[in-house]
Amino acid sequence: MIETDRLILRNWRDADRAPYLDFCRSPAVMACLGGPLTEAEVDAAIGRVRASQDRNGFCLWAVERRADGAFLGYCGLKVADTPGTPIEDEIEIGWRLGEFYWGRGYAREAAQASLRWAWANLSTPRVIAITVPTNRRSWGLMERIGMTRRPELDFGHPTFPENHPLHQHISYAVDRPVAG
């Protein structure tokens, strides 16, 4: 669907489930996301991603390495579905890669490709991203792809109680580039 020098961002395949399940069981991968997931939670997440692709024409696409076809994780776009928050219904970019693939520029390459796709195919005035304040890797990537911190869009995530370390979420955004 989307090709870069090293990656293919594509629809999910049944074969992606096993490596994705492994990533979602990793305490390192899931440290800022609420902890390891069960098989049922992973299956539900894959179902939501596939439904987004069918409904919207985009999703958190599977990321495949071109050189060997390895499934690295996901990166792409979704309609923000956190009800009652300042980002609800915005276009959100997100990524999750297996820890073996961190630090190699794959997430940045995939995120930049996802943003280019958004600007070419969607009419959204901006794309947002969220994380927790302690997730330096994630918000550092947001800054490297041109996003800026937007404190007015921060919120307490309803999935976590107020005293939970993952309750507070920070937001970043990047505006549509000016044509010219």
Side-chain angles (χ1 to χ4, degrees):
M1 175 163 201
I2 299 171
E3 294 191 20
T4 70
D5 289 342
R6 300 182 298 162
L7 306 172
I8 299 170
L9 282 66
R10 57 165 174 77
N11 291 333
W12 286 66
R13 299 178 185 145
D14 291 343
D16 300 330
R17 182 187 181 272
Y20 186 60
L21 179 60
D22 287 344
F23 300 161
C24 291
R25 287 181 169 166
S26 163
V29 171
M30 300 303 293
C32 295
L33 299 167
L37 300 180
T38 66
E39 285 189 51
E41 290 169 323
V42 166
D43 290 341
I46 293 171
R48 286 190 302 273
V49 168
R50 286 177 161 164
S52 173
Q53 181 65 40
D54 292 344
R55 182 177 52 254
N56 303 313
F58 59 86
C59 68
L60 299 169
W61 294 294
V63 176
E64 176 182 314
R65 187 168 47 203
R66 289 177 68 159
D68 59 4
F71 173 83
L72 307 185
Y74 72 65
C75 183
L77 307 164
K78 68 178 228 165
V79 177
D81 56 358
T82 310
T85 66
I87 64 156
E88 186 176 7
D89 297 326
E90 296 246 17
I91 300 299
E92 178 182 348
I93 188 171
W95 46 81
R96 182 180 307 167
L97 295 162
E99 63 192 289
F100 306 113
Y101 307 113
W102 293 356
R104 300 179 189 188
Y106 294 132
R108 183 177 185 170
E109 188 173 328
Q112 289 171 322
S114 296
L115 285 175
R116 284 191 301 273
W117 189 94
W119 306 140
N121 294 281
L122 303 176
S123 62
T124 185
R126 68 181 178 189
V127 173
I128 57 99
I130 62 172
T131 192
V132 294
T134 56
N135 192 349
R136 290 181 164 267
R137 283 181 174 273
S138 194
W139 58 257
L141 177 55
M142 292 171 194
E143 291 175 356
R144 286 190 300 281
I145 63 171
M147 302 186 95
T148 55
R149 180 85 166 71
R150 297 292 300 272
E152 74 278 12
L153 299 175
D154 292 354
F155 62 95
H157 203 290
T159 302
F160 303 102
E162 284 189 31
N163 61 349
H164 193 283
L166 301 180
H167 177 72
Q168 187 58 39
H169 274 60
I170 60 174
S171 300
Y172 279 72
V174 60
D175 292 331
R176 173 179 289 284
V178 177

